[in-house]
Amino acid sequence: MHRITGRAGGDSLIEMSPSDSFNDDLNGYHQHPSSSTGSFQEGQSGIDKQQQSKDSVFFRDGVRRIDFVLSYDDDKDGERKQERRKVYEANLEKVGLELETEDKSESEDGKTYFVKVHAPWEVLATYADVLKIKVPFKVNDIPDNSEMPMNWLSTPFRLPEHVMHPEPDFFTAPFNKSKSDFFLIDNKDTFFPPSTRNRIVYYILSRCSYFRDECAEKDKKGIKRLLNNGTYTAAFPLHDSRYWIRSRDDKCESERYNLYKHWARFLCFFKEQPLNLVRKYYGEKIGIYFAWLGFYTEMLLFAAVVGTICFIYGFLTYGDNQWSEEICSDKIGGNIVMCPLCDKKCSYWKLNTTCNSSWQSHLFDNVGTVFFAIFMGIWVTLFLEFWKRRQARLEYEWDLVDFEEEQQQLQLRPEYETKCTNRKMNRITQEMEPYLPITSKCARSCLSGATVLLWISLIIACIIGVIAYRLAVYAAFASIMKDSPTAHLEVVGPYITPQLATSVTASCINFVIIMILNLMYERVAVWITDMEIPKTHLEYENKLTVKMFLFQFVNYYSSCFYVAFFKGKFVGYPGKYAYMFGWSQLRNEECDPGGCLIELTTQLVIVMTGKQVWGNIQEALVPWLMNWWGSRKARNHPESLYSRWEQDHDLQGFGQLGLFYEYLEMVIQFGFITLFVASFPLAPLLALINNIIEVRVDAWKLTTQFRRPVAAKAHSIGAWAEILNGMAVLSVVTNAFIVAFTSDMIPRLVYMYAYAPKGEMTMKGYINNSLSVFNISEFPEFSRPDDDENPAWFNSSITTCRYRDYRYPPGHEKQYSHTMQFWHILAAKLAFIIIMEHVVFIVKFLVAWLIPDVPADVRARVKRERYLVQEYLHNYEVEKLKIQLSQNSSECNCTPMIYPSLSKHEVLSECL
């Protein structure tokens, strides 16, 4: 074989000589892929489709496997496209790939051509060597002693052994074409699994050019550019069967059918995931996602149980809520007149009107909530540490221990190679490689950063708009609902308050804005990331991850941060209220006497639940409807007329960033259940229910609604791990501040221990103590309620109103300034934050230190395997040299030199 040598990912593809490639003349058929029409030669164009196995993944000869399919429509005005296809397919043939074209007359719609691509052994072996793909050389003989105690209890959750472990365990080593006899090659046609074959072919397709040698435009290369400019309409590997039935061809594995039967159906929600089969069929990158999602769901079970117990505790202590009893009491809450919550249109009101919200707040604002916030800080650490161990075990089982992602991703992106015309010497490889000048790189990064900041500013502007809506609409709701007929409803009437109406409508509007901004920003983020021209696929995904997460972090969480940390904190007091921006007529919102925690809970439930419901609809229903509409004509045809490539062509493309959006969805959910969990202990339960559905929805859509993705390797979840770690640290801080400043936990404790009457540790009198007094006559004219807004019970005998704060009463020498109790409470809040953060962080770091990232048995097995690989390679070289020397000795009379044998301890020391 002759080839043009070049580094992996360079400008030159490895070119096969005509003598090395198979002749595609079996059954008297030879296809010219350079033909613009792709028609068959004489004697083959009349093949009857009914006589062919159309649900097959093989060429017409039934021997050569279809590793990839390209499709295109032969439009009359597309001469340039025809020329590109002609040159591109000719170059693919030069590389050694074999092509077979299905004429448009053979397709279901009568206008689509399908080019089937097959990679023969020479091409696969050559590129497996280039890509350092690991292949088996010996059956793994290390005994597995990882039997779990009481293993029989897990029997109902297990899957059949042939599904869980579809292939035996081998020792593997990077493929070396010159040592092909070292590896366990029983059959060259099946030695490389379909996922590896399509990965190799895609690597070739991504770097093959579509220009002639004499042309000057030598940046024209890659299937991605041909798809973008419409030369081809699709490029995809084939599923091996229909998902609901096995393939009729015995040589087809029907792994897709097994995945659907044992994994993608919702009735399998309680079963373990066949991760080894997922990895074998889709590749390690998709396999590691489902392993992480499954592990995250398992860990959520513990958080959901504890959160539910805390909620039940709040429900069971419902009757011990003395401060709510005082609010609801006619003698106490019914006699306390509260100051208006807005200017002009809001009237005076009695405290007992907030009776229901006070009881609801107790369900989430209790001692159990503090315990749960601390528990979740420790749970996050356990989740991340145990995932590292699980990931390490998968790396060993999936032959990714020596897989260095940075090394793998040194294969440059084709877009980088084509757009970077400058060249410089690589100090390591000593080869010329494309590079982006530092000035251009800085300019692109600055433009990208400015665009991200612009969009984040747009989110903040929208949030300010929602806040302004809340301030403006509250007054309207307060005026309208005072005589509303809903107030007389027996069951729901007491719950429909101006506060609730404002909160719910604002949350819904905020959710709609979030969805709209997401749809717009996704395209912008991809565009600016493309504009930066990242060097490798890893760098591309990391840049896009940071941009998308930063945007969605602000988009989803900003409203929750406002309610948790800003609402009710900067309102001033009657007669000297604080206004939005200081000059507007919109008065800052106050918290309900029951606290802002219940409103934070409402906001969290609406945004989190709405996102999850909308996400599932978008993920499952939209692809199903598009596929149903796209294949509406084919469904009326006999099965024999609907070929495997046409079936897959009618499915949706998964896309290079398909997994990116799945991770992003789960990480945003992770933020909801960690950053604000102190306000809603049932959040992990909602997330658990969603994820049980999510695993099966993702599996179902990947197996049934999408084309088979190109297999890709990955040994971790990438940049998402660092994001999760950052959110874990931030969650401790946010929950400490929520308990201290959003809930009423600290003011109640300070009152009970320091200000309760007669030194009793009781909450009796807390409500009266927590409300300050204001003289109605001191209201400025622009803030005083209109006379027609006041309720019927209000009369001139009422001279004061109460408001939520700790200030001296009128007539005091320090009237309306903060009392000493206010500063005691503030000091207690700060002390609680410091103590809680230090306790949780110390436990977190202690747990992280005690739990090793790699299990001891995995570490030992990795060392053992490395040692055995070195030993077998050494013995192979020795035997090979002995055979060579013995052959040479038969040709000469000289005494052969004895090859020095290395001792085992030298091999072992080299390995360790």
Side-chain angles (χ1 to χ4, degrees):
M1 183 189 74
H2 308 287
R3 62 181 179 179
I4 300 173
T5 59
R7 59 184 177 79
D11 293 331
S12 301
L13 283 172
I14 299 171
E15 188 170 326
M16 314 293 291
S17 68
S19 61
D20 287 326
S21 60
F22 291 128
N23 291 322
D24 195 3
D25 58 359
L26 295 171
N27 296 331
Y29 170 72
H30 183 80
Q31 173 64 28
H32 294 280
S34 60
S35 171
S36 62
T37 63
S39 60
F40 299 126
Q41 280 194 344
E42 189 69 30
Q44 290 296 322
S45 59
I47 291 180
D48 185 7
K49 286 188 76 171
Q50 299 282 359
Q51 298 177 359
Q52 303 299 316
S53 176
K54 304 310 293 180
D55 194 32
S56 173
V57 294
F58 293 92
F59 275 18
R60 288 177 179 254
D61 56 27
V63 177
R64 290 169 294 169
R65 190 181 189 101
I66 301 172
D67 296 312
F68 230 86
V69 174
L70 310 177
S71 67
Y72 63 90
D73 296 333
D74 189 19
D75 43 2
K76 296 180 181 179
D77 57 346
E79 293 183 3
R80 292 187 63 187
K81 296 179 182 178
Q82 293 179 10
E83 180 64 22
R84 291 193 200 111
R85 285 193 295 267
K86 182 178 180 180
V87 175
Y88 184 68
E89 293 173 17
N91 287 337
L92 289 178
E93 269 200 331
K94 289 181 182 178
V95 176
L97 297 179
E98 298 173 6
L99 311 179
E100 182 177 88
T101 303
E102 290 284 330
D103 191 79
K104 65 181 180 180
S105 61
E106 297 287 317
S107 63
E108 174 270 327
D109 59 6
K111 61 180 181 180
T112 303
Y113 292 87
F114 292 94
V115 181
K116 298 174 284 186
V117 182
H118 168 75
W121 168 256
E122 283 295 331
V123 174
L124 294 173
T126 301
Y127 281 92
D129 195 347
V130 170
L131 297 174
K132 301 302 178 186
I133 293 174
K134 283 190 171 185
V135 293
F137 70 91
K138 186 183 184 300
V139 176
N140 191 339
D141 56 2
I142 300 177
D144 186 4
N145 300 320
S146 59
E147 278 295 324
M148 295 288 293
M150 306 290 288
N151 203 22
W152 57 272
L153 291 174
S154 62
T155 302
F157 309 104
R158 290 185 195 161
L159 290 174
E161 185 65 20
H162 74 278
V163 176
M164 285 301 297
H165 303 284
E167 54 190 4
D169 191 14
F170 292 99
F171 290 133
T172 59
F175 185 77
N176 189 327
K177 190 178 179 183
S178 63
K179 300 177 183 177
S180 58
D181 54 335
F182 173 73
F183 303 98
L184 298 177
I185 307 177
D186 295 329
N187 186 341
K188 290 184 177 180
D189 292 333
T190 59
F191 179 67
F192 293 106
S195 57
T196 302
R197 296 174 68 100
N198 71 56
R199 180 179 157 217
I200 291 174
V201 172
Y202 184 73
Y203 179 86
I204 298 172
L205 294 176
S206 298
R207 286 159 175 77
C208 189
S209 62
Y210 52 90
F211 62 86
R212 296 186 183 278
D213 292 339
E214 63 270 15
C215 291
E217 294 181 299
K218 300 211 172 185
D219 63 333
K220 307 293 186 183
K221 61 169 61 176
I223 187 63
K224 187 178 288 188
R225 296 195 66 175
L226 289 172
L227 291 171
N228 290 339
N229 60 33
T231 304
Y232 290 101
T233 56
F236 52 92
L238 289 179
H239 284 295
D240 60 7
S241 68
R242 288 176 167 88
Y243 66 84
W244 67 88
I245 191 172
R246 292 185 180 276
S247 174
R248 293 191 182 93
D249 194 333
D250 294 336
K251 291 186 291 184
C252 291
E253 300 85 356
S254 297
E255 290 173 350
R256 184 191 188 192
Y257 166 78
N258 286 331
L259 285 170
Y260 175 74
K261 180 180 179 182
H262 299 285
W263 181 51
R265 295 188 302 168
F266 182 73
L267 293 178
C268 300
F269 73 92
F270 62 94
K271 295 283 189 179
E272 58 185 338
Q273 294 189 81
L275 294 176
N276 287 322
L277 185 58
V278 174
R279 172 243 182 170
K280 182 185 178 186
Y281 192 74
Y282 290 114
E284 288 79 2
K285 191 170 185 178
I286 290 179
I288 207 81
Y289 163 72
F290 280 102
W292 177 80
L293 179 57
F295 182 80
Y296 171 44
T297 305
E298 292 171 12
M299 290 294 290
L300 271 177
L301 178 63
F302 302 100
V305 169
V306 177
T308 305
I309 291 173
C310 291
F311 177 78
I312 293 173
Y313 170 81
F315 184 79
L316 294 177
T317 57
Y318 210 61
D320 301 332
N321 186 0
Q322 194 168 358
W323 53 91
S324 292
E325 289 181 357
E326 292 185 357
I327 291 177
C328 298
S329 170
D330 291 335
K331 294 181 179 180
I332 301 177
N335 290 325
I336 295 179
V337 178
M338 301 294 294
C339 298
L341 295 174
C342 64
D343 295 340
K344 290 293 186 182
K345 296 298 181 181
C346 292
S347 64
Y348 300 96
W349 52 284
K350 290 187 177 181
L351 183 60
N352 62 355
T353 58
T354 61
C355 174
N356 289 310
S357 64
S358 176
W359 285 111
Q360 295 165 13
S361 179
H362 175 71
L363 293 174
F364 309 106
D365 191 2
N366 53 66
V367 178
T369 304
V370 180
F371 165 78
F372 189 58
I374 297 173
F375 168 81
M376 285 302 293
I378 299 171
W379 175 87
V380 169
T381 304
L382 290 173
F383 164 65
L384 295 175
E385 292 301 317
F386 282 132
W387 166 245
K388 290 178 185 176
R389 293 170 62 83
R390 175 75 173 124
Q391 184 175 275
R393 194 173 294 278
L394 285 176
E395 286 182 14
Y396 168 73
E397 293 174 355
W398 290 357
D399 296 320
L400 299 169
V401 173
D402 296 322
F403 173 77
E404 292 294 336
E405 192 133 7
E406 293 77 11
Q407 224 175 33
Q408 179 75 8
Q409 298 300 338
L410 283 177
Q411 300 160 11
L412 305 180
R413 292 175 67 237
E415 294 83 357
Y416 182 84
E417 294 177 319
T418 56
K419 292 181 181 178
C420 298
T421 55
N422 296 304
R423 303 258 164 186
K424 72 174 182 179
M425 179 73 71
N426 187 311
R427 295 181 180 179
I428 299 174
T429 62
Q430 292 298 304
E431 295 180 4
M432 298 299 292
E433 66 176 13
Y435 83 102
L436 191 65
I438 189 67
T439 53
S440 176
K441 194 172 184 178
C442 290
R444 292 171 185 271
S445 297
C446 290
L447 179 59
S448 174
T451 306
V452 173
L453 289 177
L454 174 65
W455 277 84
I456 290 178
S457 302
L458 179 61
I459 299 174
I460 296 173
C462 290
I463 295 301
I464 293 174
V466 173
I467 295 172
Y469 164 86
R470 299 168 74 110
L471 301 179
V473 169
Y474 179 81
F477 275 129
S479 179
I480 294 171
M481 296 178 69
K482 65 178 181 178
D483 298 322
S484 174
T486 58
H488 304 292
L489 297 176
E490 292 185 3
V491 180
V492 297
Y495 296 95
I496 304 177
T497 62
Q499 293 94 331
L500 179 64
T502 304
S503 178
V504 171
T505 55
S507 297
C508 292
I509 292 172
N510 181 64
F511 175 71
V512 172
I513 292 174
I514 286 173
M515 292 295 104
I516 294 174
L517 289 176
N518 270 347
L519 292 174
M520 297 170 63
Y521 182 75
E522 281 180 7
R523 298 185 179 184
V524 174
V526 172
W527 173 74
I528 58 179
T529 307
D530 288 336
M531 181 266 299
E532 290 183 61
I533 318 180
K535 186 175 183 179
T536 65
H537 290 291
L538 178 66
E539 185 180 347
Y540 182 91
E541 289 190 7
N542 288 345
K543 285 178 177 291
L544 185 60
T545 297
V546 171
K547 292 181 181 65
M548 286 296 293
F549 176 75
L550 186 61
F551 175 84
Q552 295 217 7
F553 183 91
V554 178
N555 199 13
Y556 279 109
Y557 302 144
S558 54
S559 58
C560 293
F561 273 103
Y562 163 73
V563 175
F565 306 123
F566 295 97
K567 182 181 177 182
K569 307 300 185 293
F570 310 99
V571 296
Y573 60 92
K576 197 175 181 180
Y577 283 118
Y579 289 81
M580 191 174 183
F581 303 122
W583 47 264
S584 69
Q585 295 182 350
L586 299 175
R587 203 173 96 190
N588 289 348
E589 283 186 284
E590 295 185 45
C591 283
D592 189 274
C596 274
L597 196 70
I598 189 65
E599 187 168 342
L600 176 59
T601 302
T602 304
Q603 179 79 20
L604 187 65
V605 170
I606 289 177
V607 176
M608 180 179 174
T609 307
K611 181 186 182 303
Q612 292 181 165
V613 172
W614 173 254
N616 285 326
I617 293 174
Q618 195 175 21
E619 288 182 18
L621 188 60
V622 173
W624 180 81
L625 287 174
M626 294 180 70
N627 289 335
W628 177 84
W629 181 256
S631 62
R632 63 191 183 281
K633 293 181 180 179
R635 288 195 301 273
N636 298 323
H637 292 176
E639 193 172 289
S640 58
L641 294 178
Y642 199 25
S643 62
R644 161 75 17 232
W645 43 91
E646 289 173 302
Q647 294 172 40
D648 286 7
H649 181 263
D650 288 339
L651 299 177
Q652 299 300 301
F654 189 66
Q656 185 181 357
L657 299 175
L659 275 187
F660 169 82
Y661 295 110
E662 301 295 341
Y663 275 119
L664 183 61
E665 178 187 3
M666 288 295 103
V667 170
I668 293 296
Q669 182 206 81
F670 182 83
F672 280 124
I673 69 165
T674 54
L675 296 177
F676 308 103
V677 75
S679 67
F680 189 45
L682 292 181
L685 179 63
L686 292 181
L688 174 65
I689 295 171
N690 174 81
N691 286 10
I692 290 174
I693 300 173
E694 181 77 19
V695 172
R696 304 304 160 177
V697 167
D698 287 350
W700 173 81
K701 72 179 184 182
L702 195 63
T703 307
T704 67
Q705 303 302 309
F706 284 91
R707 297 169 188 157
R708 185 175 184 173
V710 179
K713 277 186 173 291
H715 74 289
S716 68
I717 61 175
W720 298 111
E722 295 302 320
I723 290 175
L724 292 174
N725 280 319
M727 294 179 74
V729 174
L730 181 61
S731 68
V732 178
V733 179
T734 55
N735 283 304
F737 273 84
I738 287 173
V739 173
F741 287 98
T742 309
S743 80
D744 278 347
M745 185 67 61
I746 304 301
R748 292 174 194 153
L749 292 175
V750 171
Y751 174 81
M752 185 171 65
Y753 285 102
Y755 291 91
K758 300 179 182 178
E760 299 176 4
M761 293 182 60
T762 177
M763 295 303 297
K764 186 176 181 180
Y766 168 72
I767 293 299
N768 187 61
N769 175 267
S770 64
L771 298 175
S772 298
V773 181
F774 182 76
N775 193 337
I776 290 176
S777 62
E778 298 182 30
F779 267 120
E781 187 60 33
F782 66 86
S783 182
R784 189 187 303 274
D786 294 335
D787 292 336
D788 57 345
E789 297 292 342
N790 290 329
W793 50 262
F794 185 80
N795 53 56
S796 58
S797 63
I798 300 174
T799 58
T800 60
C801 64
R802 310 293 293 273
Y803 60 98
R804 183 184 172 88
D805 207 342
Y806 294 91
R807 295 179 182 272
Y808 290 109
H812 193 277
E813 60 179 353
K814 296 181 180 178
Q815 67 173 5
Y816 304 137
S817 62
H818 284 122
T819 64
M820 187 57 66
Q821 186 176 353
F822 170 84
W823 300 109
H824 287 166
I825 292 173
L826 180 61
K829 289 179 176 180
L830 297 177
F832 172 81
I833 292 172
I834 294 172
I835 293 172
M836 178 178 168
E837 287 182 357
H838 279 71
V839 168
V840 175
F841 280 133
I842 289 172
V843 174
K844 279 169 62 70
F845 290 128
L846 183 63
V847 168
W849 178 72
L850 289 175
I851 301 176
D853 291 348
V854 182
D857 65 312
V858 172
R859 191 182 297 111
R861 291 169 72 88
V862 168
K863 290 183 178 180
R864 170 69 177 165
E865 182 169 334
R866 284 177 177 169
Y867 162 66
L868 292 176
V869 169
Q870 292 284 341
E871 184 179 28
Y872 281 111
L873 278 172
H874 165 255
N875 293 338
Y876 168 80
E877 294 288 352
V878 169
E879 292 300 323
K880 194 173 181 179
L881 185 57
K882 284 181 179 179
I883 293 173
Q884 183 180 354
L885 292 175
S886 63
Q887 291 174 348
N888 293 338
S889 63
S890 61
E891 299 175 1
C892 64
N893 298 324
C894 56
T895 304
M897 180 179 66
I898 303 299
Y899 186 85
S901 178
L902 293 176
S903 62
K904 285 190 177 182
H905 77 272
E906 293 181 16
V907 178
L908 182 59
S909 63
E910 182 74 20
C911 170
L912 300 181

